[in-house]
Amino acid sequence: MSDKALLAALAAGDHALAARLYMETAEASSGDDASAFYATHAYVHALQAGQAAIEERAGALLRRLGRLR
């Protein structure tokens, strides 16, 4: 994830792009804590953007990590 791209998406209120960027980072992260952090942000932004596919992917990742029931 490019910090610049993420900050631009957040500043513009582009929740769909923010969700995608956070999800890509969550899936690429090597540690469980980092993956969970980014997946949580992806989940929230996906909810705000109505991005059901990203919401489902983030939720599945969080469940695999034991962070969501």
Side-chain angles (χ1 to χ4, degrees):
M1 167 181 58
S2 162
D3 289 342
K4 187 175 180 179
L6 177 61
L7 291 175
L10 294 173
D14 189 342
H15 295 289
L17 179 56
R20 184 175 60 78
L21 293 171
Y22 275 124
M23 194 66 224
E24 288 172 0
T25 304
E27 292 173 332
S29 294
S30 59
D32 287 356
D33 289 340
S35 291
F37 174 84
Y38 291 117
T40 299
H41 283 26
Y43 189 85
V44 169
H45 286 284
L47 286 172
Q48 291 177 314
Q51 298 288 320
I54 294 177
E55 177 189 340
E56 290 173 15
R57 281 172 49 205
L61 177 57
L62 289 167
R63 279 189 284 289
R64 279 195 309 274
L65 295 172
R67 309 293 170 94
L68 185 66
R69 295 181 195 178

